[in-house]
Amino acid sequence: MSLYEASIRVKHECPYREISERHPDLTIREWPLSDCQVLEITSEATPTDELLEDISQIGTILHETEDDDGYHVVTQSCLCSLDASIIDRFENHNCLYQSPTIYRQGWEHYTVVAFDDADIRELLGDLRADRDIELLSKTSISDTQIPHSMLAPASHLFENITDRQLAALQLALERGYYKQPRKTSLRELADQTAVARSTYEEHLRKAENKLLTNAGQFLRLVTATSTADPLGVGGQQRREQTAD
């Protein structure tokens, strides 16, 4: 079965696009989640006061660095007040959106996959009705070439994980709890919070459990076509069946 991957760029009224137009050396990558957007903003040049002001209006800054490689910032924002997302229009034409959206020099860049070339043509016609667009590329791909990342959006991995559980997981990750050997203990992690050790551990274990459970369906997709059995699970199962 053949599929079609299209890369397009769009120009219409959008705050991120407008920022990229005002700062041509800037690159903005956007990952939409269920109720917000995470943005990675990079620039090889030293940020100007105007750029810093624009970024401060976007949302909450999660990470910010400036070194010899340039300026790098990650933000989180909610755009609930904006019009219906262009991603909804992709879905209306049976086109699958692949994140991230890239904003550069006043254009928004999108990549979509469709099961029918006609769906892409109809999508382009729809978008041309109210905005400037350019088709950058359209290629035919086989279903075996579909990236697993398209089937496993980040928002799905964090479904049903509470803010406290996410915070517990992030703290453990940043403090080296998952490194080998471990750089910290549960007691030391809990001491950096306002909750008891037992409460912190409960939040962390629930976050781990939910994250692995959510990732399970995508893990099966990744391993579905592999014939390798590095742990010898198949052999053990055959021995058990023989014994029965």
Side-chain angles (χ1 to χ4, degrees):
M1 177 180 67
S2 293
L3 295 92
Y4 300 89
E5 181 180 78
S7 175
I8 63 175
R9 66 177 189 173
V10 177
K11 182 176 288 188
H12 79 299
E13 295 305 316
C14 170
Y16 304 154
R17 185 204 66 76
E18 292 167 0
I19 290 175
S20 74
E21 189 170 47
R22 288 196 295 271
H23 309 279
D25 64 328
L26 201 68
T27 298
I28 303 175
R29 295 176 176 85
E30 174 195 10
W31 285 267
L33 302 181
S34 58
D35 58 354
C36 66
Q37 286 78 31
V38 173
L39 304 175
E40 180 187 32
I41 304 169
T42 57
S43 172
E44 295 182 0
T46 300
T48 63
D49 291 340
E50 181 185 6
L51 174 58
L52 294 176
E53 175 62 24
D54 283 340
I55 291 175
S56 70
Q57 301 298 319
I58 290 178
T60 303
I61 293 179
L62 304 177
H63 172 80
E64 186 177 25
T65 60
E66 184 180 353
D67 52 32
D68 294 339
D69 294 328
Y71 180 63
H72 179 243
V73 61
V74 177
T75 72
Q76 175 181 308
S77 65
C78 176
L79 294 182
C80 304
S81 62
L82 293 185
D83 293 336
S85 169
I86 189 174
I87 297 176
D88 294 334
R89 298 172 73 172
F90 295 160
E91 295 176 354
N92 291 339
H93 292 281
N94 303 314
C95 294
L96 306 177
Y97 161 73
Q98 294 190 70
S99 59
T101 301
I102 299 176
Y103 301 86
R104 181 147 180 88
Q105 297 181 347
W107 289 92
E108 306 167 35
H109 295 255
Y110 297 93
T111 299
V112 298
V113 169
F115 295 93
D116 191 325
D117 182 44
D119 289 329
I120 293 179
R121 293 198 302 270
E122 291 175 4
L123 170 64
L124 296 177
D126 182 8
L127 295 177
R128 287 193 179 103
D130 58 7
R131 62 196 69 194
D132 295 331
I133 73 165
E134 290 184 13
L135 176 63
L136 301 179
S137 67
K138 184 175 66 174
T139 57
S140 175
I141 59 176
S142 68
D143 54 350
T144 58
Q145 294 176 297
I146 301 176
H148 296 297
S149 59
M150 188 188 75
L151 302 173
S155 58
H156 289 186
L157 293 177
F158 297 100
E159 280 184 347
N160 301 318
I161 303 181
T162 68
D163 289 343
R164 290 186 177 182
Q165 292 164 6
L166 282 175
L169 187 63
Q170 182 178 2
L171 178 62
L173 186 63
E174 291 179 347
R175 297 297 188 270
Y177 180 73
Y178 295 106
K179 291 184 177 180
Q180 294 294 331
R182 282 181 171 165
K183 304 298 183 182
T184 189
S185 66
L186 286 173
R187 181 177 298 278
E188 290 171 332
L189 290 171
D191 286 344
Q192 299 176 55
T193 73
V195 300
R197 173 184 172 179
S198 59
T199 303
Y200 174 81
E201 184 173 3
E202 180 182 6
H203 290 322
L204 182 62
R205 297 309 177 212
K206 286 184 176 180
E208 293 171 340
N209 181 269
K210 291 177 181 178
L211 184 62
L212 289 172
T213 299
N214 292 343
Q217 58 181 311
F218 306 119
L219 175 62
R220 286 188 286 273
L221 284 172
V222 172
T223 60
T225 59
S226 174
T227 58
D229 188 11
L231 298 180
V233 175
Q236 179 62 27
Q237 290 176 341
R238 287 191 293 271
R239 286 191 293 271
E240 292 175 351
Q241 291 172 355
T242 302
D244 293 340

